[in-house]
Amino acid sequence: MQTISSVPASGRAQRARLAERVRRVPSSGIRRFFDLIQTMDDVISLGVGEPDFVTPWHIREAAIYSLERGYTMYTSNHGLIELRRALAEHLARRYGVVYDPHEEILITVGVSEGLDLAMRAILDPGDEVLIPDPGYVSYAPCVTFAGGVVQPVPTAPENGFRPAPEDFASRLTPRTKAVLLGYPNNPTGTVVDRDTLAAIARIVAEHDLIAVSDEIYDRLVYGREHVCFAALPEMRERTILLGGFSKAYAMTGWRIGYVAAPRDLMAGLVKIHQYTALCAPITSQMAAIEALKNGEAAVQAMVAEYDRRRRVIVKGLNDIGLTCLEPEGAFYAFPSVAVTGQSDEEFAERLLLEEHVAVVPGSAFGACGRGHVRCCYATSLAQIEEALHRIDSYVRRRKA
Ligand code: PLP
């Protein structure tokens, strides 16, 4: 028998060093812009989707104090039970959905890890996942890395980028395994109403699907109700709920999030987590306990500030002629750049080079994001006003 070691290396067919599913995923469209920004001075960034606030002091202090007391070890794979209990209470109080903190809540390295775990735990090669387009940049790559196949569900500005339940139904195949929802949405700021989510939930139930619901922006809604997908009829047993601390508590760098899911699904996620991440950092878990227990006033103050900025940027963009729907959640405006006659990529690149304002081309979030750009308004009002002024100059030149 010929074994690989009996064939000289020079005689073997050239093999790619990276796996096909990894090569297939393009590098992040956002990265290119950030690399360009690094080379420039005086850039106003509406690019990065990250709060400009520093984590509230009492949360940082709790973390520092935990270090002083010597909390520097691994925690249980699931995470500190005190944090899981606090999360179970939080979810029961806010959304009326009840989880067992011992077996149905997992503390993760951000929602990012939760998303990866969810996809790897549920997908067999070739399983299909329905994902509204446009959507967060990591959704499709995580599905692909897990061996799954993305089925985009188109959305459009005409209906506020809200997905239509019938568009899920019409894309079902025998291989459809899951739907992946992210509302409030990055990049559009869309919040989906209860009736629409309930109609999507009925499709999930009828076709025996799993819903993965990324609710990282649940606290960032403006005059709207956040509907927790797991709290809809029959959905608790079918939903992998992803939640986090990055956005609401301005804790992006702490890398801390959580998953809530029924026992059987959770067992799969925990199996992967315990062999890969082991646990989330203990210092961040300590900080998260403090955030949940005493962070409400800070969350509300930050949300009120985002709301102020939201109004200014939406009015400003519309006045300039970049038609912009009113985002009802998260901290992104998603205007159309049609008036300039440019593609979203051209617009973003020229705006950066000529006016030193960074926005993200909508096509980075899916084909349906084309012709739009994402402007993150988690930056000071003064910066937003200056950015609007510069965008106005740019658009005037394009129109002239
Ligand atoms: N989900 C969405 C929709 C996001 O916008 C982001 C970050 O921008 C993440 C998940 C990642 O969150 P985390 O910092 O908890 O990993």
Side-chain angles (χ1 to χ4, degrees):
M1 189 181 76
Q2 198 176 48
T3 63
I4 191 82
S5 57
S6 66
V7 180
S10 57
R12 281 180 224 153
Q14 188 69 38
R15 272 197 309 185
R17 283 152 68 87
L18 292 175
E20 195 273 332
R21 66 182 184 287
V22 175
R23 283 182 281 134
R24 197 151 28 100
V25 172
S27 291
S28 166
I30 300 186
R31 236 354 345 124
R32 199 165 67 83
F33 278 85
F34 293 151
D35 292 344
L36 200 57
I37 294 168
Q38 301 306 320
T39 67
M40 299 170 68
D41 295 328
D42 183 31
V43 173
I44 298 184
S45 180
L46 306 180
V48 194
E50 162 161 68
D52 59 321
F53 298 107
V54 173
T55 307
W57 170 243
H58 67 99
I59 298 176
R60 284 181 279 154
E61 200 174 31
I64 294 165
Y65 186 47
S66 78
L67 288 170
E68 285 176 353
R69 283 182 295 158
Y71 285 96
T72 58
M73 298 86 166
Y74 293 131
T75 68
S76 101
N77 293 136
H78 283 83
L80 294 169
I81 186 63
E82 191 184 352
L83 177 54
R84 287 182 276 142
R85 281 206 183 101
L87 279 166
E89 263 167 44
H90 172 83
L91 292 171
R93 185 168 14 92
R94 283 205 82 79
Y95 304 121
V97 60
V98 175
Y99 290 99
D100 173 357
H102 292 278
E103 291 188 65
E104 295 183 318
I105 293 187
L106 173 68
I107 310 302
T108 55
V109 181
V111 167
S112 303
E113 193 211 353
L115 178 64
D116 180 44
L117 291 178
M119 292 307 152
R120 285 198 283 157
I122 64 174
L123 298 179
D124 281 314
D127 281 348
E128 295 171 11
V129 182
L130 297 171
I131 311 180
D133 176 355
Y136 176 48
V137 288
S138 296
Y139 292 159
C142 280
V143 170
T144 308
F145 292 148
V149 176
V150 175
Q151 285 296 345
V153 175
T155 67
E158 293 71 40
N159 54 2
F161 290 107
R162 261 175 284 280
E166 56 274 23
D167 288 334
F168 287 87
S170 63
R171 283 167 179 77
L172 292 168
T173 76
R175 293 307 308 263
T176 309
K177 183 78 186 269
V179 300
L180 171 47
L181 303 169
Y183 296 100
N185 185 258
N186 175 5
T188 61
T190 300
V191 171
V192 179
D193 58 279
R194 181 177 288 276
D195 288 350
T196 304
L197 287 175
I200 296 170
R202 282 195 292 278
I203 295 169
V204 168
E206 272 165 33
H207 298 274
D208 195 20
L209 306 179
I210 295 168
V212 178
S213 188
D214 174 0
E215 303 187 17
I216 192 166
Y217 293 104
D218 67 335
R219 304 304 315 281
L220 274 57
V221 286
Y222 311 103
R224 288 289 306 267
E225 168 200 34
H226 173 74
V227 178
C228 175
F229 199 80
L232 293 167
E234 293 181 62
M235 285 304 107
R236 200 201 93 99
E237 296 309 313
R238 297 186 171 278
T239 302
I240 300 177
L241 171 63
L242 309 178
F245 294 82
S246 288
K247 313 291 175 170
Y249 298 97
M251 288 178 69
T252 46
W254 299 79
R255 311 309 304 125
I256 183 91
Y258 63 90
V259 180
R263 264 180 200 77
D264 61 327
L265 291 176
M266 183 56 91
L269 275 78
V270 169
K271 201 183 274 183
I272 303 171
H273 171 82
Q274 73 189 6
Y275 287 124
T276 52
L278 276 71
C279 67
I282 188 168
T283 317
S284 305
Q285 295 193 48
M286 288 295 199
I289 292 170
E290 173 63 20
L292 279 180
K293 288 197 169 156
N294 298 308
E296 189 54 26
V299 171
Q300 288 189 14
M302 289 189 274
V303 172
E305 182 56 30
Y306 291 140
D307 193 12
R308 253 192 300 281
R309 299 167 180 183
R310 180 181 74 107
R311 290 163 206 264
V312 170
I313 200 164
V314 170
K315 177 169 187 317
L317 289 167
N318 280 310
D319 287 351
I320 292 166
L322 302 183
T323 313
C324 182
L325 297 165
E326 190 179 328
E328 295 172 326
F331 40 45
Y332 308 104
F334 200 58
S336 161
V337 297
V339 71
T340 64
Q342 291 180 308
S343 73
D344 51 302
E345 279 168 338
E346 250 179 302
F347 176 91
E349 191 154 345
R350 293 316 309 170
L351 181 69
L352 179 60
L353 293 173
E354 293 179 29
E355 294 289 343
H356 294 199
V357 175
V359 297
V360 182
S363 48
F365 304 92
C368 297
R370 265 193 209 119
H372 293 74
V373 292
R374 189 190 77 175
C375 306
C376 175
Y377 54 85
T379 189
S380 72
L381 260 186
Q383 291 274 83
I384 289 169
E385 274 159 2
E386 175 58 23
L388 287 169
H389 178 70
R390 294 184 190 185
I391 295 171
D392 188 35
S393 305
Y394 177 80
V395 173
R396 274 175 200 277
R397 280 203 304 283
R398 286 291 311 170
K399 281 188 186 159

